[in-house]
Amino acid sequence: MRKQKRFIQRKAFLWVLIFTITLIWGYAWVMMKASLNFMGPFTYSSFRFGTGTITMFIILFIFKIGFPDKKYWKHLFINGLLQTAAVFLLVMFAMKFVDAGKSSVLLYSMPIWSSFLAVKFLGEKLNLPKFVGLLLGLIGLIFIVGWDLFMISDLNVIIGELLIISAAICWAFANIYYRIHLIELPQIQVSTIQMFFGTVIIILFTIQNEWGEPIIFNLESIYYILFTGIFASALCFTVWFIIISKIDIATATISTLLVPVFGLLFSSLLLGEKLTPGILSGSLLIITGIIIATKKKRSIKKRLEDTANSESPKL
């Protein structure tokens, strides 16, 4: 009875952590948008990920996690280029024109692109449920972009949305590259080093494109940098890696769909962004599609795990 109670308490605690992390990530989209009132998008990204990288190195030191072997550094650089630099340079520039809530939904279409790329580069099969899920997700993207194309007709908004979709594809490529070249390394180690390389690229890009542009430092702008750098970028990722070591990846993937939901909610409440029929219907289709595609994957993986467990000696 005690073991069962502890198990339930531990599971409940994990879900509280998941809810808290996704809540912070959703809220971070409001800060990302609001930060543009005080500095350029690339400048903000430099401060944010510079702060996040320093925090991650401190975490590595605290947990006594060393650096990876030099043979991995090239792959970590490429992963940092894709996952940190490309994704957030594209997203932050696009957010000059695209609402925060909508941006979060478009970026979290990443599982759709990851599934397509996994077929090409990892040899995974595109079964019927996964195909239906991906099709729904793509239709959802068309709803969001198409609504703005016909109802708003603002070329900057359309280009911004396409840039964020491109960022989601970069993120998907980073996931595939990680699976091929870096899967054997501790995830927190990968996250730290790739973030370091990505931050260096962002800083160089900032110097080239925004050097000399005005920066307003006050309590509000510093709060945005520290919160998104320390909590959203460093601490939440660290806790997230601990969580996914305790639950299956499919459940973790589905739970991240709370991020765009919170992103839309906070952006509407705090920034006054309008939730158009295109955004609502498109978001629902994307989230439903990812759940359908991931649920099937989860059931297959669960059966494989059960088989492996039944054949493995219990220690």
Side-chain angles (χ1 to χ4, degrees), residues 25-27 29-30 100-102 104 258-268 273:
W25 281 340
Y27 177 49
W29 284 92
V30 172
K102 188 191 302 180
S104 67
L258 287 172
V259 177
V261 172
F262 288 137
L264 286 169
L265 177 63
F266 285 128
S267 299
S268 177
E273 294 179 357

Side-chain angles (χ1 to χ4, degrees), residues 264-290:
L264 286 169
L265 177 63
F266 285 128
S267 299
S268 177
L269 293 176
L270 301 178
L271 299 178
E273 294 179 357
K274 293 182 179 179
L275 299 178
T276 65
I279 293 175
L280 293 174
S281 57
S283 301
L284 182 61
L285 284 169
I286 292 171
I287 292 172
T288 303
I290 294 173

Side-chain angles (χ1 to χ4, degrees), residues 135-149:
L135 183 62
L136 285 175
L138 290 175
I139 293 173
L141 291 175
I142 294 172
F143 260 79
I144 293 174
V145 177
W147 177 274
D148 290 340
L149 182 63

Side-chain angles (χ1 to χ4, degrees), residues 93-94 96-98 153-163:
F93 180 78
K96 294 171 64 176
F97 315 106
V98 183
S153 301
D154 188 331
L155 184 60
N156 287 330
V157 174
I158 303 302
I159 292 175
E161 292 172 353
L162 294 177
L163 288 177

Side-chain angles (χ1 to χ4, degrees), residues 48-90:
R48 172 187 177 177
F49 287 104
T51 304
T53 299
I54 292 171
T55 306
M56 291 296 289
F57 276 122
I58 293 172
I59 292 171
L60 285 187
F61 177 77
I62 291 173
F63 288 96
K64 298 181 180 179
I65 301 174
F67 295 106
D69 192 279
K70 289 183 179 180
K71 67 179 181 179
Y72 295 108
W73 286 67
K74 178 184 73 173
H75 300 307
L76 288 164
F77 174 83
I78 294 173
N79 209 247
L81 172 65
L82 291 170
Q83 188 165 333
T84 296
V87 169
F88 286 96
L89 287 173
L90 288 169

